[in-house]
């Protein structure tokens, strides 16, 4: 076996994909060739979803037809609400979402099929299901009842109405729309890859999305935005950011792994496997976080975030990633820390489905090899033979 390999599948190309690509050196992200900064705020999330699934920006009639199919899928079965009611209220929102998607698999009218039309119908249902579950769970756990919203609303406005119980302002709906678009896809990130691995076994789409949600939860991936918000709140004061970062990285933080005597504590929202410079999405989110902080009077948290950003810049070359300033935006929207990753999932479901549809269409089992480091082939111990013959 080739010994020239890197842990964590670093730099490994696992499949062809036409959905999305990243230029890590330039900090750029493209959905089907369109730069994320050009799409966000200009093309609504529904059209971005259609772009990811079908490859082109829709003409007006195509966009209308896509929205109509999505609107049709916007129902939350009573049995799913019943399931959510039965879960412990202090459970993590992403666990509730994962459980609900798993349950929804059994209710799906196309449960037994993975043909292309069935998968597309399921994709519409899943894009509608995820925000509906996220919102219903949030309301139930704080003692409120789930509400309905006009199915003809934009996706962002529909979600916010389900979450808050009233229609959002146009500005807040626009912020959510941009956040969903920025999170909609990111090439072969861990959760999308998990979904593709599941699809490659010819498992059903719900199974793949369950795998994706499970993978998103970890603090190295989507779970980082929750950690960012908790960290910024813990710091609390912009003047304390510098000392906090020093305590996290250690005074010897600049030393290489071999020279360090204690492990470095990671700072959530920084570092990336592919980007070498600040993430394009983070640049958009930083501007949004500033504007939202000013509009909502939550400038202090934004100032803490800026302090952490400067302290990290002074000490490391780690790029800021999407989870850092998105956490500040979510805070300004009144999203609690443990709900942040579910908002991520509400956008990323579009990309998970795009990749799943692509994988189903041109499928080969994804099955890497291990670089074996265990003992060489050897006989069973003779004592085992004695034990088994005397038994
Ligand atoms: C995203 C992440 C998992 C990428 O990991 P990776 O590509 O495997 O990179 P590595 O873990 O090999 O890290 C490379 C070096 O940078 C350091 N590093 C990476 N991210 C760091 C962070 N956020 N804070 C402090 N140091 C960090 C590592 O300690 C390592 O240094 P060393 O080789 O001297 O020990 C990692 O950067 C991280 O844990 N970030 C924080 C969590 C986060 O924001 N996740 C969301 C990503 S979108």
């Amino acid at each position: 076996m080739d010994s020239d390999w890197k842990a964590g599948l670093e730099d490994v190309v696992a499949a062809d994909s036409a959905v999305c690509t990243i230029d890590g050196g330039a900090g750029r992200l493209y959905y089907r060739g369109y730069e994320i900064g050009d799409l966000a705020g200009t093309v609504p999330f529904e059209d971005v979803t259609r772009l990811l699934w079908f490859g082109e920006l829709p003409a007006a009639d195509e966009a209308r037809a896509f929205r109509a199919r999505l609107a049709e899928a916007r129902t939350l079965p009573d049995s799913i609400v019943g399931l959510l009611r039965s879960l412990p209220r202090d459970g993590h929102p992403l666990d509730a979402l994962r459980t609900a998607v798993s349950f929804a698999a059994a209710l799906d009218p196309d449960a037994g099929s993975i043909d292309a039309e069935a998968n597309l119908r399921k994709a519409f249902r899943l894009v509608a299901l995820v925000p509906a579950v996220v919102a219903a769970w949030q309301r139930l756990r704080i003692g409120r009842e789930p509400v309905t919203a006009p199915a003809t609303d934009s996706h962002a406005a529909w979600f916010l109405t389900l979450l808050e119980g009233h229609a959002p302002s146009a500005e807040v709906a626009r912020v959510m729309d941009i956040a969903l678009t920025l999170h909609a896809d990111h090439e072969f990130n861990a959760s999308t890859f998990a979904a593709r691995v599941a699809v490659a076994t010819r498992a059903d789409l719900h199974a793949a999305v369950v795998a994706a949600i499970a993978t998103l939860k970890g603090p190295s991936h989507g779970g980082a935005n929750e950690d960012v918000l908790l960290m910024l709140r813990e710091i609390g004061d912009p003047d304390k950011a510098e000392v906090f970062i020093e305590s996290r990285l250690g005074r010897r933080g600049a030393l290489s792994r071999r020279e360090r005597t204690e492990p470095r504590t990671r700072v959530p929202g920084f570092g990336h496997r592919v980007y070498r410079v600040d993430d394009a999405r983070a640049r958009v989110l930083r501007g949004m976080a500033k504007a939202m902080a000013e509009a909502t009077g939550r400038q202090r948290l934004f100032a803490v975030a800026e302090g952490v950003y400067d302290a990290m810049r002074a000490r490391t070359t780690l790029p800021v990633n999407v989870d850092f300033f998105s956490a500040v935006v979510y805070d300004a929207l009144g999203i609690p820390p443990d709900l942040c990753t579910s908002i991520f999932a509400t956008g990323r479901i579009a990309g998970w489905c795009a990749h799943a549809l692509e994988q189903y269409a041109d499928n080969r089992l994804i099955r890497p090899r291990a670089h074996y480091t265990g003992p060489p082939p050897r006989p069973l111990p003779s004592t085992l033979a004695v034990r088994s013959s005397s038994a």
Side-chain angles (χ1 to χ4, degrees):
M1 178 130 319
D2 185 6
S3 60
D4 183 22
W5 64 280
K6 294 185 204 155
L9 300 178
E10 182 171 351
D11 294 334
V12 169
V13 171
D16 284 338
S17 178
V19 178
C20 171
T21 192
I22 299 168
D23 179 344
R28 291 189 186 279
L29 166 64
Y30 302 87
Y31 293 171
R32 301 274 185 186
Y34 296 109
E35 228 256 285
I36 189 71
D38 293 338
L39 290 169
T42 305
V43 179
F45 174 73
E46 296 88 321
D47 296 1
V48 169
T49 302
R50 195 190 178 284
L51 169 72
L52 291 170
W53 292 4
F54 298 128
E56 295 299 336
L57 285 170
D61 57 332
E62 292 167 332
R64 265 195 305 278
F66 190 86
R67 278 156 208 247
R69 280 193 78 171
L70 192 55
E72 226 174 274
R74 286 175 171 165
T75 55
L76 187 61
D78 288 346
S79 54
I80 294 186
V81 178
L83 171 84
L84 295 175
R85 284 188 205 283
S86 73
L87 297 176
R89 294 222 172 153
D90 58 356
H92 196 281
L94 212 64
D95 292 345
L97 178 63
R98 192 195 62 233
T99 305
V101 172
S102 202
F103 187 80
L107 307 176
D108 197 278
D110 292 306
S113 172
I114 59 164
D115 76 36
E117 275 308 309
N119 285 333
L120 190 57
R121 286 192 292 273
K122 290 186 207 187
F124 277 108
R125 286 181 208 123
L126 282 160
V127 170
L129 178 71
V130 168
V133 168
V134 169
W137 170 251
Q138 173 58 16
R139 292 186 68 78
L140 287 170
R141 73 174 178 150
I142 58 169
R144 300 199 178 143
E145 281 301 300
V147 295
T148 55
T152 48
D153 276 359
S154 78
H155 203 64
W158 180 72
F159 173 44
L160 284 164
T161 306
L162 296 183
L163 196 59
E164 302 293 343
H166 58 82
S169 69
E171 189 45 37
V172 166
R174 180 179 150 78
V175 167
M176 180 57 80
D177 178 81
I178 295 175
L180 295 178
T181 289
L182 294 176
H183 286 85
D185 198 36
H186 209 220
E187 204 219 37
F188 280 14
N189 61 92
S191 57
T192 301
F193 190 61
R196 289 190 77 127
V197 170
V199 166
T201 68
R202 309 187 74 242
D204 61 89
L205 185 55
H206 286 73
V209 171
V210 169
I213 296 170
T215 310
L216 185 72
K217 192 178 179 197
S220 296
H221 188 16
N225 57 12
E226 174 177 346
D227 290 349
V228 169
L229 193 44
L230 292 172
M231 174 185 74
L232 297 179
R233 287 187 178 180
E234 184 189 336
I235 297 170
D237 179 344
D239 292 340
K240 294 185 180 154
E242 179 87 28
V243 173
F244 181 90
I245 292 304
E246 188 164 300
S247 74
R248 278 263 167 139
L249 297 183
R251 271 177 296 115
R252 296 156 65 81
L255 296 179
S256 74
R257 188 181 299 208
R258 235 178 302 140
E259 293 165 306
R260 275 203 304 272
T261 50
E262 75 255 22
R264 175 191 272 169
T265 313
R266 291 184 181 223
V267 179
F270 289 85
H272 200 271
R273 176 62 64 76
V274 181
Y275 291 111
R276 292 293 152 251
V277 297
D278 283 358
D279 184 328
R281 302 164 301 172
R283 287 198 293 273
V284 178
L285 286 161
R286 190 180 184 181
M288 280 165 67
K290 187 169 189 296
M292 285 293 289
E294 282 161 8
T296 57
R298 297 200 190 207
Q299 284 108 325
R300 197 170 177 80
L301 199 88
F302 179 70
V304 175
E306 288 283 275
V308 168
Y309 181 82
D310 291 344
M312 288 297 285
R313 271 295 135 281
R315 283 176 178 74
T316 77
T317 55
L318 293 168
V320 72
N321 62 48
V322 70
D323 294 307
F324 190 71
F325 285 109
S326 65
V328 185
V329 172
Y330 297 155
D331 177 73
L333 288 173
I335 307 287
D338 67 353
L339 200 67
C340 288
T341 314
S342 300
I343 309 293
F344 189 150
T346 300
R348 187 56 56 86
I349 181 67
W352 289 334
C353 290
H355 282 271
L357 297 174
E358 186 179 58
Q359 182 75 39
Y360 281 121
D362 183 14
N363 191 28
R364 185 155 192 246
L365 182 74
I366 298 173
R367 202 298 188 191
R369 294 297 311 272
H371 178 236
Y372 180 65
T373 58
R378 51 184 169 163
L380 284 170
S382 53
T383 48
L384 192 67
V386 171
R387 266 212 312 274
S388 64
S389 63
S390 63

